[in-house]
Amino acid sequence: MDTLVSLALINLVTCVFATAIVLASWRFRPAIWAADLGLPRQDPVAGAVVLVVLVLVILGGSIASALVAVDEHGLVGAAIASWAVMVIFGLWDFLVIDWWIFIGLRPSWFHLEGMEESTFIYDWRHHAKESIPSVVIGLPMAAISTGVAAFAT
């Protein structure tokens, strides 16, 4: 299989798994996301667990991308491919999860007590600004993934 196709599939699978984690946590434990809505933190332990699982899924996609890219494109290509996972997930989070699902579809279960006062929830500009840090957070993740790819080859 072509490297680009493999990288695209890895990114798609990573984004779908991460979306499932986010939506499931919103559906069954919405209090996890209270701090993101400007409300007092309500469930820090469950929030930390969800965050760790989410980071591990994205890190797994990043490492898989680096391992696929390193043979054909070297360590620089592996670093770019692994960093792209985080950038693509940031765009996916903004366009699919935030904009399409939460702002566009507004599922009935997307509710948390006190959320009514948070007017920015349905403002796409707020969600666009919130997705920018994924570019920066992706840099150390790319370094870890490239290191794993370097040791694996």
Side-chain angles (χ1 to χ4, degrees):
M1 188 181 312
D2 184 43
T3 304
L4 264 146
V5 172
S6 297
L7 292 174
L9 285 173
I10 290 168
N11 275 292
L12 179 64
V13 168
T14 302
C15 287
V16 168
F17 275 122
T19 300
I21 292 165
V22 169
L23 294 180
S25 64
W26 251 111
R27 178 70 174 101
F28 299 110
R29 297 289 291 268
I32 292 170
W33 301 98
D36 288 355
L37 303 175
L39 301 172
R41 189 172 304 279
Q42 296 179 13
D43 200 348
V45 174
V49 169
V50 168
L51 181 64
V52 166
V53 171
L54 195 57
V55 166
L56 288 175
V57 165
I58 296 169
L59 183 61
S62 183
I63 290 171
S65 290
L67 290 171
V68 166
V70 73
D71 288 336
E72 194 172 321
H73 303 288
L75 289 177
V76 173
I80 292 170
S82 60
W83 180 63
V85 170
M86 194 66 193
V87 173
I88 290 169
F89 177 71
L91 287 170
W92 178 277
D93 178 47
F94 168 60
L95 294 172
V96 175
I97 299 174
D98 292 342
W99 196 3
W100 183 55
I101 295 175
F102 290 145
I103 294 174
L105 297 178
R106 293 186 189 193
S108 60
W109 47 264
F110 178 61
H111 184 326
L112 188 59
E113 202 61 44
M115 198 167 105
E116 300 81 21
E117 292 94 38
S118 301
T119 56
F120 64 84
I121 293 172
Y122 300 113
D123 180 16
W124 67 270
R125 288 176 213 86
H126 168 75
H127 293 286
K129 284 188 283 185
E130 290 293 314
S131 66
I132 291 172
S134 65
V135 174
V136 177
I137 294 168
L139 293 173
M141 200 173 283
I144 292 167
S145 301
T146 304
V148 169
F151 284 115
T153 53

